[in-house]
Amino acid sequence: MSTFWNILIIACTVIILAGSWWLLFATRKVKVTGKPGSEDEPQTTGHVYDGIEEYDNPLPSWWFNMFVLTIIFAVIYLILYPGLGSFKGVLGWTQVGQWEQEVKAAEEKYAPLYNKYLSMPVEEVIADTAALKMGGRLYANNCSVCHGTDGRGAFGFPNLTDNDWLYGGTAADIKATLVNGRKGNMPAWGNVIGEDGINAVTEYVFSMSGRDHDATAAEKGKTIYGQFCAACHGPDGKGMTAIGAPNLADGIWLYGGSPEQVRHTLRNGRNGVMPAQKDLLQEGKIHLLTAYVYQLSKNN
């Protein structure tokens, strides 16, 4: 925060508190109990309704005192906690520090439970109902926004309930993905093979999965595929888990399988990122999450 804004915030806060205090006492009145017509006749506000005049009486003492206590509380609060510009308060409290304390306390409380499952193979963890419930909650909090609440993915986000895995579907592969993340990169080929090449390769890719295709264009596309695509996706189009190259022969499409969507992928390329979880989740939590994701495809 710049010096200007720091001073401005402090000045505004102090002026409002001091002004409120002054206003309370400057406008304070003493209740007049005299009778109408006497020297100490109560003043009225000038409001008349159905012949009834409104007396200009002061605030009830409980109400007045409540305002006073509120201002005193505000002053004490601003001394102890942040609120006056960049002044951190004499207690040094911060919301980040509070969050870190709560996280630390939760980790100490639940660490033994996570460590219990960490010592078990994933294949055993998936047989434990309580463990899967914990894994399901971890999934809902950390993964469902991309892969869906049911794990079936979305456009550009893999389906976790089938057996089509970009980087392998073993428990070890899934854990490696969660721990380190993944970065997928499909190069753009539009300027390399031209639009005719894009159309030809699209037809050849369709032929791999048994889809309707133009046989003449597919034959031309086969040659182009062998030159530019086979190194990653394999001569048979079944992909390569070592680099996350998808299987093109199973009819499962991460970015859509319509002719135009496939052409768009070839023409412009694709980039996908799976964030690493090692700095966000404990090892025990990742182990439970691995088990939950692993069993999704086993139960479908």
Side-chain angles (χ1 to χ4, degrees):
M1 182 184 298
S2 66
T3 302
F4 169 78
W5 289 108
N6 183 47
I7 294 174
L8 180 63
I9 291 172
I10 293 175
C12 289
T13 304
V14 171
I15 290 172
I16 290 172
L17 288 174
S20 298
W21 184 272
W22 172 84
L23 186 63
L24 275 174
F25 286 90
T27 59
R28 189 181 186 188
K29 297 182 176 68
V30 178
K31 184 176 181 179
V32 179
T33 58
K35 296 180 180 180
S38 64
E39 293 183 358
D40 57 349
E41 178 182 2
Q43 298 295 314
T44 65
T45 62
H47 300 160
V48 180
Y49 186 77
D50 284 346
I52 301 174
E53 292 185 284
E54 180 182 354
Y55 285 126
D56 189 14
N57 282 327
L59 287 174
S61 56
W62 66 268
W63 199 346
F64 176 85
N65 292 333
M66 184 176 67
F67 277 124
V68 172
L69 290 174
T70 300
I71 296 173
I72 294 174
F73 172 83
V75 172
I76 296 174
Y77 179 92
L78 291 173
I79 293 174
L80 297 177
Y81 295 97
L84 285 175
S86 59
F87 176 63
K88 300 183 182 303
V90 297
L91 296 181
W93 180 92
T94 65
Q95 59 183 357
V96 173
Q98 180 71 24
W99 175 79
E100 290 176 344
Q101 289 179 6
E102 293 176 1
V103 169
K104 182 179 179 181
E107 289 177 349
E108 291 175 352
K109 179 178 179 180
Y110 297 109
L113 182 58
Y114 290 127
N115 291 337
K116 166 192 169 184
Y117 292 116
L118 186 57
S119 64
M120 299 167 54
V122 168
E123 291 75 11
E124 293 182 15
V125 176
I126 63 176
D128 190 309
T129 304
L132 288 183
K133 286 183 178 179
M134 294 172 64
R137 287 191 287 270
L138 289 168
Y139 175 88
N141 291 333
N142 298 279
C143 313
S144 62
V145 67
C146 292
H147 295 283
T149 55
D150 58 359
R152 296 186 180 279
F155 183 85
F157 299 99
N159 183 344
L160 304 178
T161 65
D162 57 19
N163 289 307
D164 186 67
W165 297 91
L166 293 176
Y167 295 93
T170 68
D173 291 331
I174 294 171
K175 177 174 281 192
T177 296
L178 288 168
V179 171
N180 302 309
R182 303 288 188 181
K183 291 184 179 180
N185 179 35
M186 162 69 184
W189 295 104
N191 293 331
V192 178
I193 62 177
E195 196 62 26
D196 288 342
I198 294 294
N199 293 329
V201 173
T202 298
E203 295 302 318
Y204 178 66
V205 169
F206 286 164
S207 73
M208 288 181 173
S209 57
R211 291 179 57 173
D212 292 337
H213 62 280
D214 183 319
T216 302
E219 189 62 29
K220 178 182 177 182
K222 181 178 180 180
T223 302
I224 300 173
Y225 177 91
Q227 291 177 320
F228 299 101
C229 312
C232 292
H233 295 281
D236 56 1
K238 294 188 180 298
M240 189 181 302
T241 57
I243 59 173
N247 185 342
L248 304 177
D250 59 4
I252 297 175
W253 304 90
L254 183 60
Y255 292 97
S258 71
E260 184 49 44
Q261 287 172 322
V262 175
R263 285 193 288 267
H264 181 90
T265 297
L266 287 166
R267 187 184 302 117
N268 302 300
R270 300 287 188 179
N271 288 283
V273 177
M274 161 67 192
Q277 303 297 312
K278 61 183 177 182
D279 295 329
L280 301 174
L281 300 175
Q282 294 176 323
E283 186 180 5
K285 292 181 179 180
I286 290 178
H287 193 68
L288 282 172
L289 194 51
T290 298
Y292 181 78
V293 172
Y294 181 68
Q295 61 84 38
L296 283 176
S297 61
K298 300 301 179 184
N299 294 334
N300 287 278

